Amino acid sequence: MSCTACSARVEKAVSAVDGVTSCSVNLLTNSMGVEGTASEKDIISAVEKAGYGAFPKNSGKTESDDFSADRETHELKNRLIWSVVFLLVLMYFSMGYAMWGWYLPPFLDGNYIAIGIIQLLLTVIIMFINRKFFINGFRGAVHGSPNMDTLVALGSGASFVYSLYALFAMTSAQLDGNNQEVIHLMHEFYFESSAMILTLITVGKSLEARSKGKTTDALKNLIKLSPKNAVLIRDGKEISVPVENIRKGDVFVVRSGENIPADGVIIEGNCAVDESALTGESIPADKSEGDYISSGTINKSGFIKCEALKVGSETVLSQIIKTVSDATATKAPVAKIADKVSGIFVPAVTVIAVLTLIVWLIAGESFGFALARGISVLVISCPCALGLATPVAVMVGNGVGAKNGILFKTAESLEETGKINIVALDKTGTVTMGKPEVTDIITADGFHENDFISMAFSLEKKSEHPLALAIIKKAEELKSRKYEVSDFKVFAGNGLTGIINNSEVAGGNFNFISSKTEIPDKIREISENLSEQGKTPMFFCKDNIFMGIIAVADVIKEDSAEAVRELHNMGIRVIMLTGDNERTAKAIGNQIGADEVIAGVLPDGKESVIRNLKKQGRVAMVGDGINDAPALARADIGIAIGNGTDIAIDSADVVLMKSRVKDIPSAIRLSRKTLKNIHENLFWAFIYNIIGIPLATGLFIPLFGLKLNPMFGAFAMSLSSLCVVSNALRLNLFDIHNPAKDRKIKSKSERKVSSMKKTIRIDGMMCGHCESAVKKALEAIPAVENADVSHEKGTAVVELNSAVSDDVLRKAVEDKDYTVTEIS
């Protein structure tokens, strides 16, 4: 395939095969994804009937073959070198001698027939070197699918045929002794145009292939991470085997500086592992016995012995490579407009070229002049730029995401993620760590903290409750003493009791312990404050004497609050879902700054919540557990946390490998930037053809005297595709973690609602700095679309996209130490 007309033809042919439900062809990677029940044989047959070739991706070729081999670039480079060599010689004869009188040997000087034959031979050589244009072009035309090569072949071929006619006419004129006609016909040669068109298009194709190669750099780098060999332990000896020979359960060793060959668990030793290729995290992670390690990561220091758990295509690295490469085989919705245009582009351009020729002949111009205009139309028109506009941006965007630990499974998910305006966060494991930890230890008068923790540790050690595990972990960190416990009893839903050193020790909730001893009022207040903060207080007593409280909570991730702030700055509403009670849920929701908290949601109820939220706008659901899978599938965009369950990850559209909440705004930022890049590419591709084709027809000659030489048309065509690819490569420079340029984007439903305005009168603003502080504070409120602040007028006029109370506006301003006197 050479252009988008080719990919459209293949897609149409395969889509017509019985049993094919969907087909997506990617021009950039020369690959096709087909869904349905049709056989490989039928699909390949349809492609071949359309005039192209195909083979199954898994037919002995590896992922590395598809992405790392730059055969096309090497072949184009050779074609280009030889084309330029012969073109320079041709230009010496056609322009150097004919126009500027450069030196020729006496036997050629003035021998116009001989000079014409030399130009003919040199042009034939260049046409043979670039015969691929003619083979693909005419084959496409024969199969009813003319493409970019057809345009080039027609343009170059027409120049050659007319020049050949001029050469025969010159020979006839010389035989008739008409030297003036011979000199006139000498200037009618277009051999150099024919050769120059092919050479310039090859220049463009070479630069384009080189740039396209860079769009897959991220994927190539991932593929290169796959180690070639592994050192296994067999019968007590170390043996080196190809990585393909590793099996589940094999024990392998990794020394400092070596790549880890399979996913597994460390059974001996410790090390520092560089996981940057998978997670984007530059600081090596310390690993020790029992820790999980992934294929493709690098052991920076230390020696480890590991057991293989996942090998070959099951490893995390292989799954990432598959996800990124599969995403490039899909098509973004925004590409559909380019596909529609591409389907009729080449026939339309051919018709325009013929009409141009006819109109100029009717207008009284010479055949050579009219032909030059028609050829210019053929060679300046470029369907390639249209076809590449979307896939190159998707490929680079996916690569940037993968490099930063964000995987988009399809081109559609990369496009649609930036359009969401509601994010629903699952609490446990997403907003919080998912593992309860001890946050507070309060002892009663007369009890030492170490003794208290030892008693609680000894009692809870017998329990399997998640909250008990938090206390056990804390005690082990403090190296607390452990006592023997006898007569251990569990009171389900209330607490525990046991005998330690002949004393009865009890632990549990407030009601359970208050039935055994009196709890001081001061302690009651502390426990209520802890509960309001989303913590669970656990009470303990010894021989009916109150000992103290240990508060346990599922700790909020460090970046959760910052992520929510960034989402607000993007104009996105944040909702937290949890099965917790409302008091605990609201405490955590307030800490992260969520707009709304929906508590008491049962595991099977999240899907219905998402269904209702979708009535308000485009929804992204973020989760990590099995119970999140239906909600992830129901949402417009499902985002899974990388350390979540396989089911959740399979149900999601986007996977965050680093499990960081801050990667949610980063994914949205990357999606918006990629979509903007696609729009830029499509704009330039369309505007290039909208301006270029009328210029080539000669439409501007009567108006401005602008006339386009076919050679410049070919050069412009070469540049158009290069510009589109180069623009897409700019995405590699985009910092997806930088919120500086974030802006609020209104949904379609929001645009329909007329904005509401409020005027706030403020005392204390003295300068532009004051204006900036107030403006920033007000625009941080999700409901505020824009704030127009003037220190001279002492006012702030706010535009609201939804209702917000005056108290919220007042507090935002007064928190910056200014006084609000009136809100109207």
Side-chain angles (χ1 to χ4, degrees):
M1 298 187 297
S2 62
C3 71
T4 188
C6 301
S7 59
R9 172 68 178 171
V10 172
E11 200 166 288
K12 187 177 179 182
V14 174
S15 296
V17 175
D18 288 339
V20 172
T21 54
S22 72
C23 170
S24 177
V25 179
N26 190 310
L27 175 66
L28 182 65
T29 56
N30 283 326
S31 61
M32 171 174 64
V34 183
E35 291 182 14
T37 56
S39 67
E40 286 183 356
K41 184 180 177 183
D42 290 342
I43 293 167
I44 291 170
S45 175
V47 174
E48 288 173 346
K49 284 177 183 176
Y52 305 89
F55 58 88
K57 198 170 184 179
N58 57 0
S59 60
K61 284 193 73 178
T62 65
E63 209 77 63
S64 179
D65 293 327
D66 292 332
F67 288 99
S68 294
D70 291 321
R71 289 185 299 275
E72 185 189 7
T73 307
H74 181 70
E75 180 196 331
L76 283 166
K77 184 179 177 182
N78 286 337
R79 276 170 51 189
L80 178 61
I81 290 169
W82 286 111
S83 294
V84 169
V85 168
F86 287 105
L87 180 65
L88 290 173
V89 179
L90 173 59
M91 295 301 285
Y92 188 95
F93 282 96
S94 64
M95 299 189 80
Y97 172 74
M99 293 178 67
W100 302 311
W102 289 1
Y103 172 80
L104 280 181
F107 68 90
L108 284 176
D109 192 7
N111 190 343
Y112 298 122
I113 301 292
I115 292 170
I117 292 171
I118 290 171
Q119 289 186 49
L120 168 68
L121 292 174
L122 288 168
T123 304
V124 168
I125 292 170
I126 293 170
M127 290 172 81
F128 178 77
I129 292 169
N130 295 286
R131 61 192 178 278
K132 199 170 181 181
F133 289 121
F134 296 93
I135 295 169
N136 291 344
F138 290 121
R139 184 170 60 192
V142 167
H143 285 90
S145 58
N147 51 40
M148 188 207 81
D149 288 343
T150 309
L151 296 178
V152 174
L154 283 173
S156 178
S159 298
F160 179 79
V161 170
Y162 179 68
S163 301
L164 193 61
Y165 157 77
L167 181 59
F168 278 111
M170 178 192 288
T171 306
S172 176
Q174 184 149 328
L175 289 172
D176 293 339
N178 189 346
N179 290 330
Q180 190 173 354
E181 181 66 13
V182 169
I183 294 169
H184 168 72
L185 288 168
M186 178 76 175
H187 293 288
E188 289 292 303
F189 284 167
Y190 280 94
F191 286 123
E192 77 282 356
S193 288
S194 177
M196 181 71 84
I197 287 167
L198 296 173
T199 305
L200 286 174
I201 298 295
T202 304
V203 169
K205 283 281 183 185
S206 300
L207 293 171
E208 184 186 314
R210 186 178 175 84
S211 297
K212 278 160 67 177
K214 289 180 181 177
T215 66
T216 58
D217 278 352
L219 200 50
K220 288 178 189 174
N221 291 336
L222 284 174
I223 292 166
K224 287 174 185 175
L225 288 173
S226 303
K228 301 293 182 285
N229 297 295
V231 178
L232 302 184
I233 302 292
R234 294 263 173 91
D235 301 323
K237 295 180 180 177
E238 292 185 11
I239 58 166
S240 179
V241 300
V243 75
E244 295 82 12
N245 294 347
I246 302 179
R247 299 290 177 265
K248 287 181 185 177
D250 280 349
V251 175
F252 59 89
V253 297
V254 185
R255 292 178 168 81
S256 178
E258 294 179 347
N259 281 40
I260 293 168
D263 291 3
V265 63
I266 298 174
I267 57 177
E268 185 183 313
N270 52 66
C271 64
V273 178
D274 179 0
E275 298 178 318
S276 58
L278 301 188
T279 66
E281 187 59 60
S282 58
I283 301 171
D286 292 327
K287 303 279 185 178
S288 56
E289 193 173 318
D291 287 339
Y292 191 85
I293 41 104
S294 297
S295 169
T297 56
I298 304 168
N299 179 7
K300 301 299 284 186
S301 65
F303 173 88
I304 50 172
K305 189 182 289 185
C306 314
E307 180 185 347
L309 300 179
K310 291 181 180 179
V311 297
S313 62
E314 296 177 348
T315 65
V316 171
L317 178 62
S318 295
Q319 290 300 313
I320 291 173
I321 292 170
K322 184 177 183 299
T323 298
V324 177
S325 60
D326 284 355
T328 64
T330 62
K331 194 165 285 186
V334 74
K336 290 175 184 175
I337 185 170
D339 290 345
K340 287 178 182 176
V341 172
S342 300
I344 59 168
F345 188 89
V346 175
V349 165
T350 308
V351 169
I352 293 169
V354 172
L355 287 174
T356 300
L357 177 71
I358 294 169
V359 168
W360 280 113
L361 287 174
I362 293 171
E365 292 291 345
S366 68
F367 185 79
F369 179 91
L371 182 67
R373 305 288 73 74
I375 291 169
S376 295
V377 171
L378 290 172
V379 298
I380 198 172
S381 308
C382 188
C384 277
L386 283 172
L388 290 170
T390 300
V392 289
V394 168
M395 174 68 88
V396 179
N398 259 310
V400 172
K403 198 162 58 178
N404 287 277
I406 300 169
L407 300 183
F408 295 91
K409 290 188 177 179
T410 63
E412 184 174 0
S413 63
L414 176 59
E415 178 185 333
E416 296 298 316
T417 299
K419 298 177 182 178
I420 60 172
N421 41 54
I422 299 173
V423 169
L425 301 171
D426 174 52
K427 188 202 75 144
T428 306
T430 302
V431 172
T432 64
M433 299 295 290
K435 296 176 182 176
E437 293 183 9
V438 172
T439 58
D440 301 87
I441 300 170
I442 297 103
T443 55
D445 294 338
F447 287 93
H448 193 275
E449 187 175 291
N450 290 342
D451 293 334
F452 170 47
I453 293 172
S454 294
M455 288 283 184
F457 169 43
S458 302
L459 185 66
E460 297 288 353
K461 187 74 175 174
K462 293 273 187 178
S463 172
E464 295 179 355
H465 194 281
L467 299 182
L469 297 177
I471 294 175
I472 294 165
K473 181 186 174 186
K474 183 68 174 178
E476 287 175 346
E477 287 174 2
L478 297 173
K479 297 181 180 178
S480 299
R481 184 178 176 184
K482 181 175 173 288
Y483 299 106
E484 287 297 321
V485 179
S486 59
D487 197 22
F488 178 76
K489 294 176 183 176
V490 177
F491 299 87
N494 286 296
L496 319 162
T497 63
I499 304 300
I500 300 175
N501 294 339
N502 299 320
S503 296
E504 184 189 57
V505 177
N509 60 31
F510 176 81
N511 290 335
F512 182 66
I513 299 301
S514 62
S515 68
K516 292 180 174 293
T517 184
E518 187 176 342
I519 298 175
D521 291 340
K522 183 182 176 183
I523 295 295
R524 289 190 186 199
E525 287 179 18
I526 292 172
S527 70
E528 286 175 4
N529 287 334
L530 291 170
S531 296
E532 286 172 3
Q533 295 170 36
K535 300 173 183 178
T536 303
M538 298 168 69
F539 300 80
F540 293 86
C541 67
K542 177 183 176 184
D543 290 333
N544 298 331
I545 300 171
F546 180 71
M547 285 198 296
I549 294 175
I550 297 179
V552 175
D554 188 359
V555 180
I556 296 172
K557 290 181 180 177
E558 290 180 4
D559 61 340
S560 292
E562 179 62 27
V564 172
R565 275 196 296 275
E566 289 186 13
L567 289 170
H568 282 161
N569 288 337
M570 292 176 163
I572 294 170
R573 187 166 152 235
V574 180
I575 295 168
M576 191 182 81
L577 308 181
T578 178
D580 285 351
N581 63 70
E582 194 164 339
R583 189 178 189 181
T584 302
K586 282 194 172 178
I588 292 174
N590 288 336
Q591 287 180 56
I592 65 168
D595 298 294
E596 186 181 345
V597 174
I598 302 176
V601 182
L602 297 174
D604 58 351
K606 292 178 182 177
E607 188 266 348
S608 61
V609 170
I610 296 299
R611 195 186 309 128
N612 290 330
L613 286 174
K614 285 179 73 174
K615 296 173 185 175
Q616 303 171 31
R618 301 184 65 81
V619 180
M621 169 68 193
V622 187
D624 70 328
I626 292 173
N627 60 354
D628 296 323
L632 289 168
R634 171 66 65 181
D636 294 296
I637 292 292
I639 301 176
I641 297 295
N643 61 5
T645 62
D646 289 343
I647 294 173
I649 290 171
D650 288 344
S651 303
D653 303 293
V654 183
V655 181
L656 308 180
M657 296 300 295
K658 288 190 275 190
S659 304
R660 294 193 336 179
V661 189
K662 268 195 77 171
D663 282 343
I664 300 169
S666 296
I668 294 168
R669 212 171 278 128
L670 176 59
S671 170
R672 289 181 178 180
K673 185 68 175 178
T674 303
L675 187 58
K676 183 183 177 186
N677 191 279
I678 290 171
H679 287 152
E680 289 169 354
N681 287 346
L682 287 171
F683 171 79
W684 288 115
F686 276 113
I687 206 73
Y688 161 80
N689 285 295
I690 288 167
I691 295 172
I693 293 175
L695 176 63
T697 61
L699 195 65
F700 298 145
I701 293 175
L703 299 172
F704 310 109
L706 291 176
K707 184 169 65 175
L708 186 71
N709 186 297
M711 289 185 284
F712 288 112
F715 184 64
M717 183 191 198
S718 302
L719 281 180
S720 64
S721 296
L722 180 63
C723 289
V724 164
V725 176
S726 300
N727 186 51
L729 287 172
R730 289 193 309 115
L731 283 171
N732 283 312
L733 305 174
F734 180 60
D735 181 1
I736 68 171
H737 302 298
N738 185 359
K741 294 184 180 179
D742 287 347
R743 61 189 182 90
K744 296 179 181 181
I745 296 177
K746 287 195 282 187
S747 66
K748 289 179 182 176
S749 60
E750 286 176 322
R751 289 184 192 120
K752 292 175 185 176
V753 179
S754 59
S755 61
M756 185 168 48
K757 287 187 179 182
K758 286 191 177 184
T759 301
I760 308 169
R761 299 202 175 277
I762 305 166
D763 282 346
M765 293 193 297
M766 306 293 291
C767 61
H769 177 75
C770 300
E771 285 181 1
S772 177
V774 172
K775 181 179 174 70
K776 191 173 181 181
L778 288 169
E779 289 185 344
I781 300 169
V784 175
E785 194 65 38
N786 181 55
D788 185 10
V789 184
S790 169
H791 73 274
E792 294 169 346
K793 296 178 182 177
T795 60
V797 179
V798 292
E799 290 181 21
L800 308 172
N801 54 37
S802 60
V804 62
S805 71
D806 290 352
D807 289 340
V808 172
L809 297 172
R810 187 185 301 275
K811 186 176 185 303
V813 175
E814 293 185 343
D815 280 351
K816 294 296 178 182
D817 296 324
Y818 300 99
T819 304
V820 174
T821 58
E822 183 186 349
I823 300 178
S824 58

